Amino acid sequence: MPPLKPRCPHDPDPENDFKSVQIEYQPASLLTNPNPLHVCGGGAAAVGSDIFYFGGFLGTHGNRNFQNTVAHLNPSTRTVSQVNIVGSSPTRKAFFGMCSYEKLNECYVFGGLGERPSETDRVQTPASYLEITRGRYVNNAVHVLVTGDYASTGSCTWREMLYTGDAPDPRYSSAFINRDNFAYVFGGVCNSSVEFGNDLHRLNLRSAEWSGALPVTGELPSARCRASLALSSTSLLVLCGGVGQIGTNLSSHNDIFIFHTELLCWYGVNTSHIQPPLEARFAHYSCQDLIGDVYIVGGRMSPNNNKQATTIVRVRTEPLSLQNLALQVYGGIATSEDVESLGHLIQRLARKIRMEPCSSCSPPHAWM
């Protein structure tokens, strides 16, 4: 576990400031050329300007045809093409976690529900495969898609991560995200007994070592699956929605939590002021834009029907940072060049400015 950094007195107070995180709806628009693969339950991850899709299933709930192909999306041309594969692909599966680490030009696939590898292929793997229904297995395998040669050859290479440490139990429909060289796994449907989890695990992508369940504190999310997890700023993760069990019934969630990766602490976000109320949703997507805002898109509203969530939600935590304060003071929306030129000045000013909340701001999260 990496050592915790001492909290700077100029940082926001997570216990209080995260209660006033900005959340707002955004208008939605449709791609003119949607993905032609028509696959459900797959995953996607971006490496630079390249977006790679993997797996999923075709068919219906009772007759799923699991997939293990890889496709590439060019965002500029909005065209999709199948990727040539070198090495041994993961088994055909869906409902796994997928993220990327751009510095290494790699995508990572964790867990999922689908087929089991042959006995010959399983000799060297540290992963476990548990049968939950006939012919369907849940696993805790980690596979790495190396994408560095794609631009020149049109090919990517698969390899299985031979990890060490205390790995999560086999699971599917968990949330999976990377921050720097650490990947985080939250919840999901665990083991063969179909239990929901709210445990959080961390995988060191460089050393291939699992942390075991992290000793988290704070306002923990309830056990759930099919939630979304996105990175916001350098040390914050944003968890949204999902579906879990309340009493004897399945129910979807409309709550939002923030996890501080250095303090190992969960914070619930107050959404009571949002009108109309946030839609409950699961099996949705969330991602971060260039300035650190998290966008939450799509999903189903209830496990009891097929009604879809119709809104896009933006979660903004960055106004709490000193850097964004400086950009607000200087006025307008700054470019990346502005941010870079102000960086050294911000670091020097941080030691001289006494930060106090501005009572005249609404919501009161801006600083002067």
Side-chain angles (χ1 to χ4, degrees), residues 34-35 141 166 230:
N35 186 342
D166 186 6

Side-chain angles (χ1 to χ4, degrees), residues 229-286:
L229 195 60
L231 178 67
S232 177
S233 81
T234 58
S235 58
L236 304 179
L237 306 179
V238 177
L239 179 80
C240 175
V243 62
Q245 192 156 354
I246 300 179
T248 58
N249 300 317
L250 292 178
S251 181
S252 51
H253 299 280
N254 68 344
D255 47 8
I256 295 176
F257 293 85
I258 292 177
F259 180 73
H260 198 298
T261 59
E262 295 175 356
L263 302 178
L264 300 183
C265 189
W266 285 105
Y267 303 92
V269 175
N270 179 13
T271 62
S272 60
H273 61 288
I274 302 297
Q275 293 298 326
L278 293 181
E279 294 174 318
R281 65 180 78 201
F282 67 97
H284 53 281
Y285 296 93
S286 64

Side-chain angles (χ1 to χ4, degrees), residues 10-31:
H10 302 304
D11 285 343
D13 176 9
E15 187 66 36
N16 298 307
D17 293 339
F18 291 157
K19 300 298 182 181
S20 58
V21 168
Q22 285 189 12
I23 301 173
E24 62 186 47
Y25 292 106
Q26 295 289 297
S29 60
L30 298 177
L31 290 175

Side-chain angles (χ1 to χ4, degrees), residues 18-320:
F18 291 157
K19 300 298 182 181
S20 58
V21 168
Q22 285 189 12
I23 301 173
E24 62 186 47
Y25 292 106
Q26 295 289 297
S29 60
L30 298 177
L31 290 175
T32 57
N33 294 309
N35 186 342
L37 301 180
H38 302 294
V39 174
C40 297
V47 179
S49 60
D50 296 306
I51 300 177
F52 295 92
Y53 293 84
F54 168 71
F57 70 91
L58 299 169
T60 62
H61 177 75
N63 186 27
R64 288 175 177 158
N65 181 12
F66 292 107
Q67 307 291 306
N68 68 345
T69 55
V70 178
H72 170 263
L73 169 65
N74 185 323
S76 299
T77 62
R78 295 179 177 177
T79 56
V80 178
S81 56
Q82 188 161 324
V83 176
N84 298 319
I85 292 299
V86 178
S88 180
S89 298
T91 58
R92 302 173 186 269
K93 59 182 176 180
F95 309 123
F96 46 81
M98 188 169 179
C99 68
S100 64
Y101 187 19
E102 188 169 347
K103 291 181 180 179
L104 299 180
N105 292 312
E106 293 178 343
C107 297
Y108 305 87
V109 171
F110 166 76
L113 173 69
E115 299 176 354
R116 183 181 66 172
S118 66
E119 293 298 327
T120 301
D121 293 337
R122 294 180 59 204
V123 171
Q124 300 296 328
T125 179
S128 299
Y129 288 79
L130 299 178
E131 189 172 24
I132 60 172
T133 59
R134 185 175 181 181
R136 295 183 180 180
Y137 295 82
V138 60
N139 68 85
N140 61 355
V142 179
H143 286 86
V144 183
L145 181 69
V146 183
T147 67
D149 294 333
Y150 179 77
S152 58
T153 66
S155 299
C156 295
T157 302
W158 278 115
R159 63 177 174 85
E160 182 169 2
M161 181 182 288
L162 303 181
Y163 56 72
T164 60
D166 186 6
D169 295 328
R171 62 188 63 201
Y172 65 96
S173 295
S174 53
F176 188 52
I177 190 68
N178 172 49
R179 184 188 79 83
D180 198 10
N181 62 312
F182 291 97
Y184 292 83
V185 174
F186 171 81
V189 184
C190 307
N191 293 314
S192 59
S193 57
V194 195
E195 298 175 348
F196 296 107
N198 68 343
D199 48 343
L200 186 69
H201 298 254
R202 181 168 56 201
L203 172 64
N204 187 319
L205 298 177
R206 292 187 179 274
S207 66
E209 182 178 7
W210 283 104
S211 65
L214 294 174
V216 300
T217 59
E219 188 178 347
L220 274 64
S222 59
R224 62 189 71 190
C225 70
R226 299 194 182 184
S228 67
L229 195 60
L231 178 67
S232 177
S233 81
T234 58
S235 58
L236 304 179
L237 306 179
V238 177
L239 179 80
C240 175
V243 62
Q245 192 156 354
I246 300 179
T248 58
N249 300 317
L250 292 178
S251 181
S252 51
H253 299 280
N254 68 344
D255 47 8
I256 295 176
F257 293 85
I258 292 177
F259 180 73
H260 198 298
T261 59
E262 295 175 356
L263 302 178
L264 300 183
C265 189
W266 285 105
Y267 303 92
V269 175
N270 179 13
T271 62
S272 60
H273 61 288
I274 302 297
Q275 293 298 326
L278 293 181
E279 294 174 318
R281 65 180 78 201
F282 67 97
H284 53 281
Y285 296 93
S286 64
C287 63
Q288 177 197 40
D289 68 7
L290 292 177
I291 64 172
D293 292 351
V294 171
Y295 287 81
I296 301 165
V297 184
R300 285 175 55 188
M301 295 181 63
S302 170
N304 302 313
N305 58 56
N306 291 322
K307 188 175 181 181
Q308 304 296 308
T310 58
T311 56
I312 295 177
V313 178
R314 181 174 71 176
V315 180
R316 169 169 287 183
T317 60
E318 282 301 291
L320 302 176

